[in-house]
Amino acid sequence: MEKTFHIPVLLEETMKYLITRNDGIYVDGTIGAGGHSEEILKRTNAKVIGFDIDPKIVKIAQERLKNYGDRVLILNRNYASVKESLKELGIEKISGFLLDLGVSSYQLDQGGGFSYRFDEKLDMRMDRSSDLTASDILNESSEKEIADIIFKFGEEPKAKIIAREIIRYRQRKRIETTGELVKIIDKVVGKKYRLKVLARVFQSLRIAVNKELDNLKMGLESAIDVLEKGGRIVVISYHSLEDRIVKNFFKSNEKKCICPPDVGECKCGKVQVVKILTKKPITPKEDEISLNPRARSAKLRACEKILELE
């Protein structure tokens, strides 16, 4: 069933940059329905360790990949804990680390309040054991806090106006459904930009609920530590905030000494840890976008570890 809703984004490009050896261990930090992981298993003799915080998605991936036996292990955990999780498994080094960020097609289509296309409860938790929901944010945060979330995580220019309308609405009744949030936004946004604004607001709430940007930073830092020399990190992102974090992380770890030229001897101790493999992000071709419209905004970046850290 999962093949009807899951088309792996930038599949060939991902395999090209990720796979460096036929054996070893690859980590899929956002395994989803298992499309990318299945390709790694098909093309190599390596093992795959997958992470996902949604237990339903873990079950789907386990079913899809069950024929690969002990070559695959899927953990119901956040990929930000990759270093600690691998240590528990007695694994010191991995050959590659993959992240396909954003909400999965399954989550968009199966409920949970992620999409403005369906009228349902404003939840947006990928990890249902977490307490904070999108409804909690909208009903319990201050006007400034809501505006900051929408502006920072959604890059929405009308954030203050939308936040003001949210406060107005909730004075009459608690905001509980996606349909109510859509009505609030429709009050302040014209038809021309409606869909863009809806996408930005829903994105901002999802990021806030799931702490996605913090997890990304932690996950990348952990991945560098457990990656073997010659191993690679590949990240597919879907909006500018994620892409900027990945780009800056790669650049920071590619930098050599940052001491002023007149110092003579290096005092900063900064060394180059990775080599960036994608000077510009890789984006989907038109034929892929026509088959899978959700791939339209995808950007792939990759780097290779060139220095073993102490």
Side-chain angles (χ1 to χ4, degrees), residues 101-162:
L101 301 168
V103 65
S104 72
S105 300
Y106 174 82
Q107 285 164 322
L108 283 171
D109 295 339
Q110 298 298 313
F114 294 103
S115 176
Y116 53 81
R117 293 183 293 122
F118 310 112
D119 188 11
E120 54 200 12
K121 281 195 174 181
L122 258 174
D123 193 307
M124 296 198 190
R125 289 173 299 169
M126 292 181 186
D127 177 2
R128 291 305 173 97
S129 67
S130 172
D131 293 328
L132 185 69
T133 68
S135 180
D136 293 334
I137 290 174
L138 294 179
N139 289 290
E140 295 163 22
S141 302
S142 69
E143 183 176 328
K144 184 182 183 305
E145 287 169 336
I146 294 169
D148 286 347
I149 285 170
I150 296 170
F151 185 74
K152 183 181 175 185
F153 297 148
E155 299 179 298
E156 171 49 54
K158 291 184 181 290
K160 286 184 179 179
I161 302 169
I162 293 167

Side-chain angles (χ1 to χ4, degrees), residues 6 8 11 14-15 18 25-41 47-53 58 61 65 72-80 82 86 94-101 232 234-236:
H6 183 80
L11 183 61
T14 299
M15 296 302 116
L18 182 69
I25 297 169
Y26 291 89
V27 168
D28 188 343
T30 47
I31 196 164
H36 286 111
S37 285
E38 186 172 39
E39 282 301 314
I40 297 168
L41 293 161
K47 291 186 177 180
V48 169
I49 298 175
F51 287 73
D52 206 290
I53 53 177
V58 167
L65 304 175
V72 60
L73 172 65
I74 305 172
L75 305 175
N76 184 197
R77 292 188 184 184
N78 194 307
Y79 69 82
V82 62
L86 293 177
I94 60 173
S95 307
F97 181 75
L98 169 65
L99 289 178
D100 181 4
L101 301 168
R232 294 179 173 182
V234 175
V235 184
I236 304 170

Side-chain angles (χ1 to χ4, degrees), residues 219-230:
L220 290 171
E221 290 285 356
S222 294
I224 281 285
D225 288 345
V226 296
L227 204 63
E228 66 189 9
K229 187 178 177 181

Side-chain angles (χ1 to χ4, degrees), residues 294-308:
R294 284 176 179 156
R296 183 178 298 281
S297 57
K299 290 181 178 179
L300 181 151
R301 292 186 188 269
C303 72
E304 181 176 312
K305 188 171 179 182
I306 62 170
L307 179 74
E308 192 55 75

